[in-house]
Amino acid sequence: MRRLFYAGKLAEEIRITGGDAHHLARVMRAQIGDAVIVAGADGRAARMTVTAAARDAVTLALAEYIAQEEAYGIEVFLAQALLKGEKMDFVVQKAAELGASGIYPVETEHVVVRYDMKKAAAKTARWQKIADEAAKQCGRSKLMPVAPIRALADLLVDARIFDPADTAIVFCYEQEHRQSVRTVLQTIKARRVVIFVGAEGGFSSAEADMICAAGGQPVSLGRLILRAETAALTALAVTQYELGNL
């Protein structure tokens, strides 16, 4: 059943506009009486039925509230160095499907692609759209926000993200051979985890030192050499599993 996200609180009757209305009315060809699942900004979800459908707006009536899946005990965020081509699109989509709470695109020394301000804003908007569609398709209760592109150094000093009291930083580093991601995750007591994954060339030694200085713990994903996009999904999947989120 189609899932929508509504920016306001759910009510006995709501009005859907924009892209979701177009998709329902023109792509899905919704008819009066058709049912959809709607997740509201208040954290509730409901089965609602179509009572009116026009080109630019669809009206829905509440049928019943439904139970949401339990919230994850520990939030997991992905800080992903920019990848070339469509690899970043792929990582954003799969991160949403794997239940990531958010994604931070970052510029690092070994990033191949560089964007000016206008291009960066367009890319962020594109990734958010990809994340939103993935959330609808996999049945998430909340959308996964995609943050604006930032330099690694700027991100690490953002106190709103990295509160030492409740945030653990884990970064995948090809030069780390002593501790696995599983070993580190088993010691985490924080409320949220931020996983750092490098670009095609990984992290430089200076960046590794910078992340460690911010409280990050370097981890190995195993003996095999993984592509950057594979490393991101492996790290996310292992983390979600070890923390009991899968």
Side-chain angles (χ1 to χ4, degrees), residues 100-114:
S101 296
I103 185 166
Y104 302 108
V106 294
E107 290 184 341
T108 62
E109 287 186 33
H110 295 158
V111 161
V112 175
V113 292
R114 302 286 176 178

Side-chain angles (χ1 to χ4, degrees), residues 21 48 88 92 99 105 110 113 190 193 240-241 244:
M48 308 192 80
M88 196 70 181
V92 169
H110 295 158
V113 292
V193 175
Q240 294 284 48
Y241 178 79

Side-chain angles (χ1 to χ4, degrees), residues 13-14 31-34 49-53 58-62:
E13 183 177 275
I14 63 173
Q31 302 294 317
I32 304 302
D34 286 355
T49 56
V50 178
T51 58
V58 175
T59 303
L60 303 173
L62 176 67

